[in-house]
Amino acid sequence: MNLLSRKAMCNTHGQDSSYFLGWQEYEKNPFDEVQNPNGIIQMGLAENQLSFDLLESWLANNPDVAGFKRDGNSIFRELALFQDYHGLPSFKKALVEFMAEIRGNRVTFDPSRIVLTAGATSANETLMFCLAEAGEAFLLPTPYYPGFDRDLKWRTGAEIVPIHCTSSNGFRITASALEEAYQEAEKRNLRVKGVLVTNPSNPLGTTMTRSELNLLIKFITAKNVHLISDEIYSGTVFNSPGFVSVMEVLKDGDYDKTEVWNRVHIVYSLSKDLGLPGFRVGAIYSNDDMVVAAATKMSSFGLVSSQTQYLLSALLSDKKFTKNYISQNQKRLRKRQRMLVMGLRKAGISWLESNNAGLFCWVDMRHLLHSNTFEEEMELWKKIVYDVGLNISPGSSCHCTEPGWFRVCFANMSEATLNLAMQRLKNFVVEYSTANGHKRLHHSPKNSKKKSLTQWVFRLSSSDRDLKSDR
């Protein structure tokens, strides 16, 4: 008799993806400027380490808050005791004001409609539990964050149906792609409950246009389904065009007077904009009373600690600090992205030029493939990881339909390390192209075979699996 549940024994968590395998290889041989200068440089993890000094300076200037004091008196016991899972009112107020500030105060948010969660991972899964039954589907535009295969499906039983986007228009969402995905779900006898998008996009590093957002709103109106907008990277926009939240488009179109208003939900987190993934602070924002009530109850399985809420409520309430932080962080991201693309250009590698946000670039290495296949993409990826010593994420792990694209992160390392990574890549391209006599392949989206991620993943032994969250 089996003593474990099917959930404990199933292999649908998604950690067999090459996306996570690269992390494992990095951890076996991590780069260190002094201790291991020939190690693997981590360029597969979307962490923002560029503005820690600003946060540390604020903490140093506010010792009472960091020491859990109020007016010089300790409130440790108050914070250490059990707290209502609705969250501290002061923190929820500070968080929605910070969200509004990132959006240029063009929209405002009601603190009573925000649900705190242990990161965006928890927020997205909670929304799946609220909006879909097991076996029902959400449509996601490709390429998409590999962790969604875990976050949205593993415990909920929900399904993902891809909206296939291509490089022909910069991987933008189209009406035809939406309809094709919807029809594909129907062919599979899957009831579509909604669409989930990341804006700005992970892995593309691009913001959605107003026309795309309007297209999505019209689609969910016609199909009577939900829209989840994961806006975890909303404060990382470093170039024009600026960030436009779906909430702004809803208000501009007077959708607050329609029933669609209750079917659009926002996911947010402080993991990327403030660079605090270890603090595990995420949130759901919804105008639907039942979704807020249900999500609040579910949040008891993944609460944000009272100590964290107290500290961050003080930090986010300091408007002088938040204004300076947002500005400085965006400037630093812009400078770092320029360093990356300059290095790519010197190596003869192009990227998605609409890149204006996020902590990464969507990089085009199709010209280095022997053939236009995902097998060749994986061979190239293995060379880059093992021979060059760079952990980047292959497009197939993001369900891209075109072989040869890679996500490359730039904000989780020093300038010196990034320069070294680009020099390694340049040397590799020169040697690899010379040795193989490469000529650039001619690519057309219609010639790219749509193959599932599972055809290209590596199978890891269970003893080696130690999945981390890139949320």
Side-chain angles (χ1 to χ4, degrees), residues 13 117-129 145 147-148 150-152 154-156 230 232 267-269 271-272 277 280-284 467-471:
H13 188 278
T117 63
T121 294
S122 177
N124 277 307
E125 185 190 53
T126 298
L127 277 175
M128 286 298 108
F129 276 121
Y145 165 58
F148 280 148
R150 165 201 63 199
D151 302 350
L152 309 183
W154 186 47
R155 296 200 298 183
T156 68
D230 185 335
I232 188 173
V267 167
Y268 185 59
S269 167
S271 294
K272 309 304 180 181
R280 307 312 303 148
V281 179
I284 296 168
L467 183 60
K468 298 181 180 178
S469 174
D470 188 18
R471 300 297 303 190

Side-chain angles (χ1 to χ4, degrees), residues 230-417:
D230 185 335
E231 301 183 355
I232 188 173
Y233 290 98
S234 55
T236 68
V237 182
F238 49 80
N239 274 332
S240 60
F243 173 69
V244 179
S245 171
V246 67
M247 192 62 68
E248 186 176 343
V249 175
L250 286 172
K251 290 194 174 182
D252 289 348
D254 292 327
Y255 284 97
D256 54 338
K257 301 177 178 64
T258 72
E259 47 85 27
V260 175
W261 181 248
N262 287 348
R263 297 209 310 273
V264 178
H265 320 277
I266 290 176
V267 167
Y268 185 59
S269 167
L270 297 180
S271 294
K272 309 304 180 181
D273 293 349
L274 280 187
L276 300 175
F279 278 42
R280 307 312 303 148
V281 179
I284 296 168
Y285 189 87
S286 176
N287 291 305
D288 187 301
D289 292 337
M290 293 186 67
V291 170
V292 171
T296 300
K297 295 171 186 175
M298 292 181 189
S299 72
S300 63
F301 297 100
L303 296 174
V304 181
S305 76
S306 300
Q307 296 90 332
T308 298
Q309 292 185 55
Y310 173 73
L311 172 64
L312 293 179
S313 65
L315 184 145
L316 295 180
S317 296
D318 186 337
K319 301 307 179 185
K320 181 178 179 180
F321 168 79
T322 56
K323 180 179 180 179
N324 179 66
Y325 179 91
I326 292 171
S327 174
Q328 290 300 316
N329 186 57
Q330 290 172 344
K331 289 178 181 178
R332 294 177 184 190
L333 287 170
R334 183 185 306 117
K335 178 183 177 182
R336 189 58 61 85
Q337 187 261 7
R338 287 175 178 171
M339 287 181 60
L340 175 66
V341 299
M342 184 180 299
L344 292 172
R345 183 180 292 114
K346 290 179 179 178
I349 295 173
S350 60
W351 61 94
L352 191 64
E353 292 189 359
S354 52
N355 175 227
N356 68 326
L359 312 175
F360 33 72
C361 280
W362 190 237
V363 175
D364 184 1
M365 298 193 194
R366 291 177 292 175
H367 63 296
L368 297 177
L369 302 181
H370 289 291
S371 61
N372 193 29
T373 66
F374 286 105
E375 292 93 341
E376 281 297 316
E377 175 184 279
M378 296 309 293
E379 288 301 313
L380 176 60
W381 175 74
K382 285 188 287 185
K383 287 182 174 65
I384 293 173
V385 172
Y386 295 110
D387 298 341
V388 186
L390 305 178
N391 175 38
I392 62 178
S393 303
S396 55
S397 70
C398 303
H399 297 267
C400 184
T401 60
E402 302 174 22
W405 291 89
F406 294 83
R407 191 190 77 164
V408 180
C409 299
F410 56 75
N412 63 328
M413 66 195 76
S414 67
E415 290 188 6
T417 302

Side-chain angles (χ1 to χ4, degrees), residues 3 10 46 61 126 156 170 172 208 215 226-227 273 295 299 323 330 393 407 443-444 447 449:
L3 297 180
C10 75
N61 292 329
T126 298
T156 68
R172 297 292 180 184
M208 296 187 72
L215 173 64
H226 295 271
L227 173 63
D273 293 349
S299 72
K323 180 179 180 179
Q330 290 172 344
S393 303
R407 191 190 77 164
H443 296 276
S444 172
N447 293 328
K449 298 179 181 179

Side-chain angles (χ1 to χ4, degrees), residues 430-449:
V430 171
E431 295 172 5
Y432 188 67
S433 298
T434 301
N436 293 279
H438 271 296
K439 293 182 179 179
R440 185 176 178 88
L441 296 173
H442 293 284
H443 296 276
S444 172
K446 66 182 180 181
N447 293 328
S448 298
K449 298 179 181 179

